[in-house]
Amino acid sequence: MQRFYAAAMQPRLVNEVRLPGIRQVTQATGPGWVVTERDSVTVNLFDQELRRVARLAVPLDGPQMKVSATRRLVAAGDEQQIVVLDRDGAIRWRSTWQRLGDSAGADFHLDGDGTLWIRLAGTGELVALHGARGTEIHRIPLPGPEAAWFVHSPRNAWTGLTLLDPDRSDAMLIRLDAEHIVSRPLAGGDLAGFSPAGGRCLTLTTDGFLSVRDVASDAAIAERHLEDLRGAPHWPVSPRYVDHALFLTEDLILIAVNTADLPNDAEGHLLLSALSLGCRSEVRYPRHHGSGSVHPAHQPGRWLTRQHEDDQLRLWQLDVRLDDEPLPGQLALL
C-alpha cells in the first residue's frame, strides 16, 4: 500500500538577533524571553517581537546562573544565592540559599501572580515566596530527584513542575489556595508545555512516548510513540528522542526530533496534530538557516529557535493554515 508523507512547510522569519555567548533561553512569564550569557552575569530581556528591551548586570558571583522573569521582576540565582530585581535593575531583595533552608542550590520560577516558586534540592522542599518582597508564604515537603523544571501556564491557574530523573520523572500541577500550596500529580512523563488556552498539556517520556492530556481531568486525548508518527518524513535512521516540544496553536504541536544523519546535522522539526499526534508537516527552514533548538512564544503560530553554532536567536511565524482538516491525500493519517 502506498504511504503518504506530510508536505514540507517553510515558515516566515519575523526577526533575528545575534547575541554572542548565549547560555540559557527562557520564556518570560509575560511577553518575551530572558537570555543569559556564558561569560558574564548579565540578563537580556526581549519582547514578543524579539527586540531587546533591557540588559541588566546581576550582582552574583558567577555566570552559571538560572533566571526567571515577569513583566515587573527578574529573579536570578547561582549556587550560593538568589536576587530579585525590578526590570530597571534595582534590587528588590536577595538571600542566600542557606537562609532559605538549603545549601545545594535550587530551581525556581516567577509565575504570573508574582509568586516565586523554589524547589530546594538538598532538603527536597517546595517553597512559595512573595516575589516582590521575598517573604515566605508556604512550604511543603517534595522528595525526589534534585533537578526540577517549571513550566508556565498561559492562564496562571496552575504552574507545571517536573522532577527530572533519568529513569522516571514525576510531573505535577501546583498553585496557591488560601496561601497554602496545593499540588496534583500529572501522568504521562515530563511536562513539556500547555496549549495557548491552557486546557491541555503535552508530556514526554525518555523512551519516546508523547501524550496530549486534558488539564482538568488528566485524561489522555492522544498518545503516540516517536517511531509511530503516521505521515512523518522518511529519514535515513529512526529518530532517537524528542529534544523539545511545544504547542504552536490549539491545533498544532511543534517537536524537535533528534536523530543522526539529518542534513547539516540538524534536528528535524515536525508539526503534529494536537488531537491525534499524526504528522501534519515537516518544517523546512530557508536554506541559510538551520533548525536549532525551539522555544515557545506567547503568540500562537510563532516560535523561537536558537542556533548554537552562530549564537543566533530567530523568531518564526507559521504562515499557512494547518489545522486538523486533512491535507489532500492524507485522510488516513489523522
Side-chain angles (χ1 to χ4, degrees):
M1 182 177 69
Q2 183 180 7
R3 181 177 181 183
F4 293 97
Y5 293 103
M9 182 280 298
Q10 181 169 301
R12 175 173 63 88
L13 180 64
V14 177
N15 197 7
E16 61 182 330
V17 173
R18 184 173 185 270
L19 185 65
I22 296 172
R23 182 175 180 271
Q24 179 187 9
V25 180
T26 305
Q27 184 184 23
T29 306
W33 300 268
V34 54
V35 182
T36 61
E37 301 175 14
R38 283 193 298 268
D39 301 321
S40 69
V41 282
T42 302
V43 172
N44 299 272
L45 300 173
F46 291 88
D47 67 11
Q48 62 184 352
E49 299 296 327
L50 198 56
R51 298 172 297 208
R52 185 159 62 184
V53 295
R55 187 171 188 264
L56 309 177
V58 179
L60 294 175
D61 296 328
Q64 303 300 311
M65 63 179 177
K66 302 170 185 177
V67 292
S68 182
T70 67
R71 294 177 184 271
R72 297 174 49 240
L73 301 174
V74 177
D78 59 15
E79 293 181 354
Q80 303 299 323
Q81 60 183 316
I82 185 170
V83 59
V84 175
L85 308 93
D86 287 326
R87 280 204 168 208
D88 62 4
I91 298 175
R92 284 294 192 102
W93 60 273
R94 65 192 304 169
S95 173
T96 63
W97 294 121
Q98 188 171 13
R99 182 182 171 192
L100 292 172
D102 206 338
S103 59
D107 293 285
F108 55 88
H109 171 72
L110 279 165
D111 72 14
D113 293 325
T115 301
L116 177 63
W117 295 96
I118 301 176
R119 183 9 170 72
L120 298 172
T123 63
E125 293 177 297
L126 178 65
V127 183
L129 301 181
H130 189 288
R133 298 195 297 264
T135 54
E136 182 171 325
I137 302 171
H138 193 216
R139 71 171 63 202
I140 61 172
L142 190 62
E146 290 188 356
W149 175 259
F150 290 91
V151 181
H152 167 63
S153 171
R155 297 299 179 223
N156 296 327
W158 295 90
T159 292
L161 172 62
T162 297
L163 301 180
L164 300 173
D165 187 288
D167 300 317
R168 175 179 174 271
S169 297
D170 293 316
M172 65 194 70
L173 302 174
I174 57 174
R175 63 181 174 89
L176 284 175
D177 183 5
E179 298 193 336
H180 282 73
I181 297 173
V182 176
S183 66
R184 203 188 86 197
L186 190 66
D190 297 348
L191 180 59
F194 295 91
S195 64
R200 291 175 288 168
C201 64
L202 177 65
T203 63
L204 310 171
T205 66
T206 55
D207 55 355
F209 282 95
L210 300 86
S211 68
V212 177
R213 314 190 75 84
D214 181 83
V215 170
S217 66
D218 199 22
I221 297 170
E223 293 180 300
R224 195 175 295 274
H225 193 272
L226 181 59
E227 295 184 354
D228 186 33
L229 297 180
R230 292 178 296 175
H234 177 71
W235 289 327
V237 295
S238 297
R240 289 185 292 177
Y241 58 89
V242 176
D243 197 17
H244 295 87
L246 57 95
F247 270 93
L248 193 57
T249 68
E250 288 293 320
D251 297 314
L252 292 172
I253 289 168
L254 174 67
I255 67 170
V257 179
N258 192 305
T259 183
D261 300 325
L262 286 176
N264 303 319
D265 296 322
E267 293 177 330
H269 291 181
L270 301 176
L271 292 176
L272 309 182
S273 161
L275 292 181
S276 69
L277 293 176
C279 186
R280 298 292 294 139
S281 178
E282 181 181 8
V283 180
R284 293 281 182 84
Y285 295 91
R287 179 171 296 180
H288 59 288
H289 301 311
S291 56
S293 59
V294 298
H295 303 272
H298 288 271
Q299 293 176 283
R302 288 187 172 188
W303 69 98
L304 192 71
T305 61
R306 170 193 171 183
Q307 278 287 53
H308 303 269
E309 294 82 5
D310 56 8
D311 289 320
Q312 291 280 354
L313 296 172
R314 294 187 175 98
L315 179 62
W316 301 94
Q317 171 73 51
L318 181 68
D319 264 1
V320 295
R321 183 178 183 270
L322 286 176
D323 51 23
D324 282 309
E325 292 298 322
L327 295 174
Q330 289 188 306
L331 184 60
L333 301 182
L334 296 173

